[in-house]
Amino acid sequence: MRIALLEDEQEQARHIQGILSERGHDCDAFATGQSFLSAVQHRSYDCLILDWQIPDMSGIDVLVGVRAQLNWAIPVIFLTQRDSEQDIVQALDAGADDYLAKPARPAELLARIHALSRRTNPENEKEILVFGPFRVDTQSRSITLHGEPLTLTDKDFDLTLFLFKNQDRLLTREVLLERVWGVTRDINTRTVDTHMSRLRRRMGLNPDNGFRIKTIYQRGYRLEAMTATRAAAESGHAEAG
């Protein structure tokens, strides 16, 4: 797993990174809330670990930013010295999935991370996924629209499935390159733009079929589910144009 850690004490950060790396996890550590939020917007992580008391903002503020601004259901664990019942309730109400008191006990920390991973990424995922008129067969790697098979390349399928699984989440080009193409180095992001343009045509991802790929200027893309009212309004605007 790739994990982002918010911890301003360097010794603590190194200790936690050591625990995670021994079990094969990659962990990036950040000392400020701003640097942490910037990283999770542009990189791909499987789990976030937050301290409460950091220099530029509280861990709660960071959590609110993750949940509201990124609209992202990534697992979040608080690891902090604050362990009163009131603090725990506040963190859980703000969107945390789990809460641990410092100092971190290696076995417990790893068990909590793995439990959250199993909950958010169940191994027994259904082979058939349905998204409105789209039917995705993950075993045969095929997609139908209104019962008609779509002609897709392997990369088209991977990208479409990733978009469906992350509906309404802003996906930066960097995240898409990493998760779909397996590329972590900086390359020409026009690769993503070209595939997105092609998917709009091939997949029928438009308001008439209940979805649209929205381009977020200078940031990336978001697959949005369209309500009937919203779809009708979009179609009306298109006809008027």
Side-chain angles (χ1 to χ4, degrees), residues 83-100:
D83 60 355
S84 71
E85 182 179 3
Q86 182 179 355
D87 291 334
I88 295 172
V89 170
Q90 183 181 355
L92 295 176
D93 285 346
D97 297 285
D98 210 338
Y99 196 104
L100 291 173

Side-chain angles (χ1 to χ4, degrees), residues 6 34 43 46 69 80 84 97 111 114 166 202 234-235:
L6 177 60
Q34 290 294 343
R43 304 176 198 173
D46 302 299
Q69 297 176 20
T80 175
S84 71
D97 297 285
H114 294 159
N166 291 276
R202 288 187 174 183
E234 291 286 337
S235 298

